[in-house]
């Protein structure tokens, strides 16, 4: 199932398919919208019936999570790019929603069976694919691994990626404008999809549930108090991580919970890489050198380089967006506008090559 919220921040919220600790109101919305429950190895006639397929977006944090577990397990798979930004929003198209009712990436399909929710994909893939040592061990470290996996999952990465908090790193000007319009455009498209498919009970339920969740997410990102609460909760989590690093196996050269690398290390690798790229080092762990050393050790792993770092490029992301924009252009005038917009975006990306790191 989905990794549970750590008790230290239980008053704040629970985990969701968007990856981390969320306000309780958002959790309640997911629980009420049963159509949005995560799927595990569920047969789906709309999924590819043979092979391993991952529907993902290159810079998405949660797509990185799914790619990383597949790399760690040595699985050969086919990528299907779902453009989730720049007004394209493939995740809301009926063909994709029939695979993933949550209207999010990633989605894992194995021989016609679908698994959704990034954390759920990690746990399922570790059990399902036997190519290598299990990353969730069944030994005396099991409880610690689960605790620290859940702890990493409970970091509200989305809010820390998109939000601007007091004393924290600022978004570049390109991203500030893009994100403001991005959420508004998502809201408008969902309203249109809900109206367009009002006679389809399944799609109607999916769009209605996602619209309610998106509304709450926008409210959180616009609330200085809620963002500051998220930072405070994250600082508590970092303190717990540091304690484990300086007192546990890592102090003698091991990993977080033992001699072997586990999904707890993997999840913290993803989280620390994203927070580092976003510029949160000083705010969240400048007083904990053990965390910084742990981050550097994790970033040196070939699997993290291949599944995470190499995907954080403007070329990979910009090329996908431009291809989808051109494909969606219905006439020559619109195509000219798309090319002009792409040129402007390219100039902006050249001014700030790290813009891609903020895309969730």
């Amino acid at each position: 199932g989905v990794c549970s919220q750590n008790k230290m921040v239980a008053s704040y919220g629970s985990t969701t398919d968007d990856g981390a600790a969320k306000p309780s109101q958002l959790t309640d919305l997911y629980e009420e919208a049963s159509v949005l429950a995560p799927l595990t190895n569920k047969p789906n006639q709309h999924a590819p019936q043979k092979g391993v397929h991952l529907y993902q977006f290159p810079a998405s944090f949660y797509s990185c999570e799914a790619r990383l577990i597949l790399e760690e397990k040595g699985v050969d798979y086919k990528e299907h790019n779902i453009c989730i930004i720049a007004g394209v929003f493939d995740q809301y198209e009926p063909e994709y929603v029939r695979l993933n009712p949550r209207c999010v990436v990633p989605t894992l399909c194995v021989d016609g069976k679908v698994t959704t929710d990034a954390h759920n994909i990690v746990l399922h893939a570790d059990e399902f694919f036997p190519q290598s040592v299990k990353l969730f061990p069944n030994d005396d470290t099991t409880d610690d691994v689960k605790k620290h996996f859940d702890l990493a999952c409970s970091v509200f990465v989305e809010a820390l990626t998109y939000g601007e908090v007091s004393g924290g790193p600022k978004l570049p000007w390109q991203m500030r404008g893009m994100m403001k319009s991005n959420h508004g455009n998502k809201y408008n498209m969902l309203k249109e999809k809900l109206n367009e498919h009002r006679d389809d009970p399944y799609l109607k339920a999916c769009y209605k549930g996602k619209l309610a969740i998106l509304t709450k997410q926008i409210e959180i990102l616009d609330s200085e108090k809620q963002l500051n609460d998220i930072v405070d909760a994250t600082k508590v989590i970092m303190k717990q991580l540091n304690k484990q690093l300086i007192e546990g196996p890592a102090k003698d050269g091991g990993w977080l919970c033992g001699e072997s690398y586990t999904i707890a290390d993997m999840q913290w690798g993803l989280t620390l890489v994203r927070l580092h790229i976003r510029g949160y080092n000083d705010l969240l762990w400048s007083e904990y050198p053990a965390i910084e050393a742990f981050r550097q050790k994790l970033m040196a792993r070939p699997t993290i380089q291949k599944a995470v770092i190499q995907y954080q490029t403007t070329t990979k992301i910009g090329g996908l967006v431009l291809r989808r924009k051109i494909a969606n252009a219905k006439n020559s005038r619109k195509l000219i506008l798309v090319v002009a917009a792409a040129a402007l975006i390219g100039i902006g990306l050249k001014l700030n090559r790290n813009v891609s790191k903020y895309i969730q």
Side-chain angles (χ1 to χ4, degrees):
V2 190
C3 52
S4 61
Q5 171 62 33
N6 186 270
K7 294 179 181 178
M8 291 297 291
V9 287
S11 61
Y12 179 67
S14 292
T15 54
T16 72
D17 69 300
D18 286 324
K22 299 297 174 85
S24 58
Q25 305 100 310
L26 198 57
T27 305
D28 293 342
L29 287 172
Y30 271 100
E31 291 174 352
E32 290 169 11
S34 59
V35 71
L36 299 181
L39 308 175
T40 304
N41 211 32
K42 183 175 181 179
N44 187 312
Q45 62 178 326
H46 304 288
Q49 296 302 299
K50 290 186 178 180
V52 182
H53 301 259
L54 182 67
Y55 292 79
Q56 57 100 46
F57 181 71
S60 157
F61 176 81
Y62 305 109
S63 293
C64 290
E65 187 173 346
R67 288 195 305 267
L68 184 54
I69 186 63
L70 295 177
E71 290 294 339
E72 295 287 2
K73 298 291 288 186
V75 179
D76 290 327
Y77 63 96
K78 181 178 180 180
E79 290 181 0
H80 300 263
N81 285 318
I82 301 297
C83 186
I84 64 174
I85 63 169
V88 178
F89 305 138
D90 290 333
Q91 73 270 33
Y92 300 149
E93 292 302 320
E95 295 81 5
Y96 184 70
V97 178
R98 294 193 188 282
L99 287 179
N100 189 327
R102 291 187 166 195
C103 312
V104 296
V105 290
T107 301
L108 178 67
C109 302
V110 181
D111 296 332
K113 296 179 180 179
V114 170
T115 301
T116 63
D117 180 287
H119 307 328
N120 195 40
I121 287 172
V122 167
L123 297 175
H124 171 67
D126 190 46
E127 285 286 340
F128 188 84
F129 297 110
Q131 284 91 330
S132 62
V133 176
K134 273 178 58 65
L135 297 182
F136 201 139
N138 184 21
D139 56 26
D140 58 359
T141 67
T142 299
D143 289 345
D144 273 351
V145 170
K146 182 181 186 306
K147 173 185 174 181
H148 290 284
F149 174 66
D150 286 355
L151 198 63
C153 290
S154 71
V155 177
F156 196 165
V157 174
E158 182 180 13
L160 293 172
T161 297
Y162 295 143
E164 290 190 316
V165 300
S166 300
K170 299 299 181 185
L171 285 167
W173 63 269
Q174 302 102 312
M175 283 304 302
R176 196 175 294 117
M178 182 188 296
M179 296 319 305
K180 187 173 182 180
S181 63
N182 204 42
H183 283 97
N185 291 338
K186 283 182 178 180
Y187 182 88
N188 292 335
M189 179 172 280
L190 279 169
K191 293 282 282 187
E192 291 174 6
K193 293 292 186 184
L194 183 58
N195 181 59
E196 181 182 352
H197 299 283
R198 60 186 179 277
D199 296 327
D200 185 313
Y202 172 81
L203 291 176
K204 180 180 177 181
C206 293
Y207 291 133
K208 185 178 179 181
K210 184 61 181 178
L211 189 61
I213 290 161
L214 178 64
T215 301
K216 182 57 66 176
Q217 289 172 328
I218 293 172
E219 177 186 312
I220 293 166
L221 293 174
D222 286 343
S223 169
E224 183 178 354
K225 181 183 184 305
Q226 292 200 65
L227 287 173
N228 286 334
D229 287 345
I230 289 165
V231 170
D232 289 342
T234 307
K235 288 179 177 178
V236 172
I237 292 168
M238 290 297 169
K239 186 174 182 179
Q240 292 180 75
L241 172 61
N242 182 67
K243 185 175 188 296
Q244 176 68 11
L245 287 170
I246 62 176
E247 295 179 0
K251 76 177 189 301
D252 297 319
W255 289 96
L256 190 59
C257 301
E259 293 304 310
S260 299
Y261 176 90
T262 70
I263 60 167
D265 301 289
M266 188 197 86
Q267 197 66 33
W268 270 115
L270 289 163
T271 302
L272 291 174
V273 166
R274 174 55 66 99
L275 294 179
H276 165 73
I277 291 174
R278 181 63 176 83
Y280 277 101
N281 305 50
D282 289 344
L283 185 63
L284 295 178
W285 68 84
S286 61
E287 60 185 299
Y288 302 134
I291 293 181
E292 178 59 20
F294 184 47
R295 180 192 69 79
Q296 292 182 20
K297 180 180 180 179
L298 288 162
M299 282 191 69
R301 282 184 67 83
T303 49
I304 289 183
Q305 286 291 323
K306 183 177 180 181
V308 182
I309 305 301
Q310 292 180 14
Y311 279 79
Q312 312 303 304
T313 66
T314 54
T315 301
K316 188 177 283 284
I317 298 161
L320 170 60
V321 172
L322 181 57
R323 289 193 300 273
R324 293 295 293 113
K325 283 283 193 181
I326 291 174
N328 287 349
K330 303 267 196 251
N331 53 55
S332 57
R333 183 183 176 194
K334 189 171 182 180
L335 183 58
I336 291 171
L337 291 174
V338 166
V339 173
L344 290 173
I345 291 172
I347 293 170
L349 293 179
K350 192 168 184 180
L351 290 172
N352 190 331
R353 293 185 179 275
N354 287 328
V355 164
S356 63
K357 68 195 180 187
Y358 301 109
I359 298 171
Q360 194 65 13

